Amino acid sequence: MPWIEIALSPHSEWNEDGLEDWALALGAFLTEKGTGSNPQIQMLPGYNVVQLGEAGIGDLTLSSAERLVIIDGLSLKGNVECDFARFVVRFALQMGALGVCISNASSSEKSFWRKLGGVIQPDPVPLEEPICREKVGVRQLARFSLQVTYDSEPVLCLEPISCNAHAPGLISLAQRRLEKMYGGSPLGFASRVAVHCPWNISRDQWTDLLSFSRLEAFDLLEEIVKKAQK
């Protein structure tokens, strides 16, 4: 199934503190339309899922670090669903999103999304080669969120989290200093696939990407923390 992206040009920064406004606004919209849905936000590291109840109108994922809104499972069966789609695009722009991504859109719905500025994107393909350490890089996304790249393409998003134990592998001085700064608990990263990753990554490739990027990620995170404290 094709996925579609609507690029946006927001006039404001991503409104991290206004995520609860999504649930309130969506709730008001869906109540007015009589769907009976009661949206709830599920908070996860680096992204939030707006669950739209049992109405079957679809789920929204708000990727804070990538500043993207992802619509999944929305079937344009009638006026309510079409109005809902237009409402989400308008609201995403107001929230400071850089784009709206639509996954699992049917072929018959392409024309609707094109009228809203949607562009059909190629599906990810398997990455056939084993991960080469020299092609792995790390860059900052937003705030303390990082992105692992492979051959300069986005692959994984990393979100720093507290852990019960250290992950296998070397522990850098930067990691030790950060852990001491934040009370001594082990630090790690929650990882997920970047929205714009051009490949399907196998579990072994995922593990190699994390292993090869880990030291650089903590070095960069320490720099970001130091700048934030100034």
Side-chain angles (χ1 to χ4, degrees):
M1 301 290 281
W3 73 280
I4 302 167
E5 182 167 3
I6 301 171
L8 303 175
S9 299
H11 299 295
S12 60
E13 290 299 313
W14 177 260
N15 185 4
E16 183 79 27
D17 297 328
L19 293 180
E20 290 189 5
D21 292 343
W22 274 90
L24 295 174
L26 291 170
F29 177 90
L30 296 171
T31 299
E32 179 183 341
K33 297 296 182 180
T35 65
S37 179
N38 182 25
Q40 301 291 328
I41 293 183
Q42 180 185 4
M43 310 294 285
L44 297 167
Y47 68 107
N48 305 274
V49 180
V50 183
Q51 299 171 325
L52 300 175
E54 299 176 357
I57 202 168
D59 291 334
L60 294 180
T61 299
L62 285 65
S63 176
S64 299
E66 298 167 288
R67 293 179 64 177
L68 296 172
V69 176
I70 303 150
I71 303 176
D72 183 36
L74 176 63
S75 178
L76 302 177
K77 296 178 291 186
N79 292 333
V80 171
E81 289 80 9
C82 291
D83 289 345
F84 177 77
R86 297 186 188 97
F87 176 83
V88 169
V89 173
R90 291 195 303 270
F91 208 88
L93 183 61
Q94 295 172 10
M95 284 287 292
L98 295 176
V100 176
C101 301
I102 302 95
S103 61
N104 295 315
S106 68
S107 299
S108 62
E109 296 168 349
K110 288 182 181 179
S111 60
F112 172 86
W113 294 113
R114 282 198 179 108
K115 289 178 182 178
L116 294 182
V119 176
I120 307 297
Q121 302 293 337
D123 287 334
V125 297
L127 180 59
E128 301 293 349
E129 65 180 77
I131 299 299
C132 174
R133 184 187 295 269
E134 287 71 24
K135 293 184 179 181
V136 178
V138 182
R139 61 191 178 199
Q140 182 182 11
L141 281 175
R143 296 190 179 184
F144 301 108
S145 302
L146 307 178
Q147 187 175 79
V148 177
T149 62
Y150 187 71
D151 205 13
S152 300
E153 296 290 341
V155 184
L156 302 177
C157 294
L158 303 181
E159 306 293 341
I161 57 172
S162 296
C163 304
N164 294 324
H166 287 112
L170 295 174
I171 300 176
S172 66
L173 291 176
Q175 181 177 351
R176 289 294 193 192
R177 286 191 291 263
L178 284 168
E179 290 175 345
K180 184 177 180 181
M181 192 182 304
Y182 288 96
S185 298
L187 293 178
F189 291 102
S191 60
R192 57 187 172 84
V193 176
V195 172
H196 293 116
C197 178
W199 304 292
N200 289 318
I201 304 297
S202 70
R203 176 52 58 184
D204 288 341
Q205 290 170 328
W206 190 308
T207 300
D208 287 341
L209 285 164
L210 292 177
S211 175
F212 295 157
S213 63
R214 193 164 175 271
L215 297 180
E216 184 179 348
F218 275 110
D219 286 342
L220 179 55
L221 181 60
E222 184 184 31
E223 292 178 14
I224 296 170
V225 170
K226 287 180 178 178
K227 289 179 182 178
Q229 291 179 334
K230 291 182 179 178

